[in-house]
Amino acid sequence: ITGMSAVGITGMSAVVFWAYYVNPSYEMWRYKSNPKYPTVMMVKEEIQQMFKGMFTATLCPALTLWMTTKGYSQAYCGVSESHGAGHLLLEFWVIWIGTDFFEFFYHWIGHRISFMWAIHKHHHVFYNPSPFAVIADEYVDQFVRSTPLCLLPMIMPINIDLMFGVYVIFFYGYGVYLHWGYELEALPADHPFINTSFQHYLHHAISVKNKPYHTGFFFKIWDQMFGSIYKGDVVISAMEARGRGLRTREAFDKIEKPDYSPLLRLSFWLKGEVEDSPAMAESKKSM
């Protein structure tokens, strides 16, 4: 399970990172929430934390498979008369809504309770996250977040293929969007019902201990109920920045675009040093 997760999760994040961070265009940048790009060292830390989170996130799925074989779980595979299309639809909604509230509440108290903030604060090192930051958490955080994968099949019959699919494709996929760093023109940054990528960037940027802004995942209703909606204007969206005339070509040209190619070199991961690219090395020789 860990191996399959490594390929799937890394692949989903890497494709989006490559498309929007490696060689960004001016048109792309106009929709980036934070006008700056994370350093190559920060992205390296995100990837390292991602693999730590992935290791613990796969423990509960593995435990669920074991519990199913031993009869300790109501998880099942396939479709039958007793568990037809209608039941699968019900399961989907229970998994989606139930996990969304669980994720919100665990995240919310992670900002409210001191000993939990001591664990969760490591995720907030990434104040300007990239798609690799989705599960860049400490072991405890990611283990707890994956416990519904064990708990749900103990409460009711759950199609295990559906549950795993919802988590990997639906939840991780939306997590990539939330940590994308860019905003969709078709989805307003301040959407009244759905947590957007801007609001999650805002969460990373300003939400600290005792200030749990936008800790929800899919639905905004949980933050609205708990009073954790940010109403200030210290951080503005790319949409607002464009409206104020701040996303000009001249401003884009002044933004540093990091060279992320060291992420593809083994020496960078072993030594932790950023080596000069061939072009930079040649440039230095000619100086």
Side-chain angles (χ1 to χ4, degrees):
I1 291 179
T2 303
M4 291 188 292
S5 297
V7 173
I9 288 174
T10 306
M12 291 171 70
S13 294
V15 167
V16 177
F17 182 85
W18 179 269
Y20 287 90
Y21 285 78
V22 172
N23 189 25
S25 67
Y26 167 61
E27 284 303 317
M28 289 179 181
W29 175 78
R30 292 178 66 241
Y31 292 87
K32 192 174 185 307
S33 297
N34 186 324
K36 297 181 180 180
Y37 290 88
T39 66
V40 65
M41 291 300 294
M42 189 63 77
V43 175
K44 178 188 176 185
E45 282 193 46
E46 285 182 338
I47 295 172
Q48 290 173 325
Q49 283 287 89
M50 177 188 75
F51 278 100
K52 284 174 64 177
M54 188 186 307
F55 174 77
T56 48
T58 55
L59 293 178
C60 283
L63 180 60
T64 296
L65 292 174
W66 178 82
M67 291 171 64
T68 302
T69 62
K70 299 298 181 180
Y72 301 137
S73 166
Q74 299 183 64
Y76 68 94
C77 295
V79 180
S80 64
E81 291 185 5
S82 58
H83 302 117
H87 199 276
L88 288 176
L89 184 60
L90 172 64
E91 292 173 31
F92 172 79
W93 281 100
V94 169
I95 295 168
W96 187 15
I97 305 300
T99 301
D100 194 59
F101 177 74
F102 180 88
E103 164 67 22
F104 156 77
F105 189 66
Y106 178 74
H107 196 177
W108 187 83
I109 62 176
H111 284 264
R112 283 291 186 186
I113 301 176
S114 296
F115 81 88
M116 294 185 68
W117 171 247
I119 298 169
H120 181 61
K121 68 180 181 181
H122 298 285
H123 185 63
H124 281 264
V125 169
F126 312 116
Y127 60 90
N128 183 17
S130 84
F132 287 114
V134 182
I135 58 170
D137 294 304
E138 285 298 304
Y139 297 115
V140 175
D141 261 358
Q142 202 52 45
F143 177 78
V144 174
R145 285 193 166 115
S146 65
T147 53
L149 289 163
C150 279
L151 299 176
L152 287 173
M154 296 175 68
I155 297 171
M156 63 178 287
I158 292 285
N159 185 297
I160 203 166
D161 299 316
L162 173 66
M163 182 174 67
F164 286 177
V166 168
Y167 263 75
V168 174
I169 300 172
F170 205 57
F171 275 96
Y172 192 83
Y174 199 74
V176 170
Y177 159 70
L178 290 180
H179 294 83
W180 177 33
Y182 289 79
E183 299 166 21
L184 289 171
E185 189 169 19
L187 190 64
D190 56 350
H191 195 282
F193 307 118
I194 299 172
N195 279 306
T196 63
S197 57
F198 165 68
Q199 288 166 338
H200 198 75
Y201 155 67
L202 188 153
H203 169 78
H204 273 258
I206 65 171
S207 190
V208 293
K209 182 181 178 182
N210 294 322
K211 292 184 179 180
Y213 297 120
H214 297 283
T215 56
F217 200 73
F218 277 103
F219 301 113
K220 209 169 178 177
I221 187 172
W222 316 126
D223 282 301
Q224 291 167 338
M225 290 170 60
F226 281 71
S228 47
I229 297 291
Y230 178 71
K231 298 178 181 178
D233 58 0
V234 174
V235 181
I236 63 171
S237 66
M239 178 178 67
E240 177 71 18
R242 291 195 305 275
R244 296 184 186 182
L246 301 176
R247 294 302 174 95
T248 63
R249 181 75 201 200
E250 292 75 16
F252 174 71
D253 292 338
K254 293 178 181 178
I255 293 292
E256 182 180 354
K257 289 83 173 176
D259 175 15
Y260 294 115
S261 63
L263 294 170
L264 300 176
R265 294 199 289 267
L266 181 61
S267 60
F268 175 62
W269 292 95
L270 295 177
K271 299 178 182 178
E273 300 174 356
V274 180
E275 300 175 357
D276 291 334
S277 65
M280 180 62 74
E282 189 63 31
S283 176
K284 286 182 177 180
K285 287 180 181 179
S286 61
M287 292 177 67

